[in-house]
Amino acid sequence: MPRATLSLDLPDQVWISSLSRQFPDAEFRVLAAMPAEDAGVGLVEITAPEIEQIVAAFDEYESVFSVTVLEAQPDRSLIQFETTEPLLLRTLSEAGIPLELPITIVDGEVTVEVTASRDRLSELGTLLEQFGIQFDLVSVTQSVDTESLLTAEQYELLEAAIERGYYDTPRTCTLTALADAVDLAKSTTSEKLHRAEGKVIKEFVGTEHASLR
């Protein structure tokens, strides 16, 4: 299943984006988030030199109706809050994708990692645009289960080809030499390699084509 890394630029009208832009040197590390009835509950760790000013600034936002300081230090504070505007949590929830925590917000920007099918990633891209959240797709990777992708024989053949330099540039192992090493006919080796290569290439290209737009 694809795993995407996204860089999000949160809209100014979102309270935590506004707050983090007001204090651009502060780091807002969201440790927990969950939906509640018509709201969202979160746990955020804030690291900044002006920590008292930031905690006081929570009261400026009408969408934040409950703030509890759980831990306070000169440059760090742990806060539980409730908000009627859990935009990122709502967006991922509507796309059917769980929010993977922790995430860190600095100056209105946040990087998130999500694991979902290509269809759900595409739906997430549409929802982000609808909610006015600008984003960049940093990377898409996919863990491959070689046991389900390749047979044991195909995997061993590819492994032997790599170890002997068949895929090196310049090639240091010929098809004939590889066939001799694995005790197969040259034509059989060629056919088995072609099938294994085809599976790997199709899996790779399928992952590369995963997109949020």
Side-chain angles (χ1 to χ4, degrees):
M1 185 173 289
R3 182 174 180 81
T5 301
L6 308 173
S7 176
L8 309 180
D9 188 0
L10 300 176
D12 289 339
Q13 61 266 31
V14 176
W15 72 270
I16 198 165
S17 173
S18 173
L19 181 59
S20 68
R21 293 184 197 279
Q22 187 178 343
F23 300 93
D25 294 329
E27 181 178 282
F28 295 77
R29 190 164 182 256
V30 181
L31 304 177
M34 61 179 291
E37 187 176 354
D38 299 324
V41 180
L43 185 66
V44 62
E45 179 185 60
I46 305 171
T47 304
E50 61 273 81
I51 196 70
E52 291 185 4
Q53 298 176 47
I54 295 174
V55 173
F58 271 76
D59 293 334
E60 298 175 8
Y61 299 95
E62 294 182 359
S63 57
V64 181
F65 60 88
S66 174
V67 178
T68 304
V69 178
L70 303 178
E71 184 179 331
Q73 296 180 14
D75 61 351
R76 177 182 167 277
S77 187
L78 186 63
I79 295 176
Q80 179 176 308
F81 63 89
E82 292 186 54
T83 175
T84 56
E85 204 176 68
L87 183 61
L88 186 55
L89 182 62
R90 181 180 299 144
T91 304
L92 290 167
S93 177
E94 289 190 17
I97 300 175
L99 177 61
E100 298 183 27
L101 298 169
I103 58 173
T104 301
I105 301 169
V106 177
D107 198 17
E109 296 184 355
V110 59
T111 297
V112 298
E113 294 186 345
V114 294
T115 302
S117 66
R118 295 185 184 92
D119 289 344
R120 289 197 183 277
L121 286 177
S122 179
E123 183 178 354
L124 174 60
T126 300
L127 288 170
L128 288 172
E129 291 175 344
Q130 288 178 356
F131 283 118
I133 302 176
Q134 298 181 9
F135 66 92
D136 289 318
L137 180 59
V138 178
S139 66
V140 178
T141 59
Q142 180 159 330
S143 57
V144 177
D145 182 359
T146 55
E147 292 184 359
S148 62
L149 181 64
L150 301 172
T151 66
E153 186 180 33
Q154 288 173 330
Y155 183 83
E156 290 171 3
L157 180 57
L158 282 178
E159 190 174 41
I162 292 169
E163 289 176 353
R164 285 167 173 75
Y166 182 77
Y167 294 109
D168 289 354
T169 304
R171 182 170 288 174
T172 57
C173 175
T174 65
L175 181 60
T176 300
L178 178 61
D180 290 342
V182 296
D183 198 24
L184 290 173
K186 181 178 178 180
S187 60
T188 303
T189 302
S190 177
E191 180 183 355
K192 290 182 179 294
L193 266 183
H194 181 71
R195 289 182 178 177
E197 291 166 348
K199 289 182 179 180
V200 172
I201 290 170
K202 287 177 182 178
E203 182 72 19
F204 174 79
V205 171
T207 299
E208 289 295 295
H209 283 174
S211 172
L212 275 74
R213 291 186 173 93

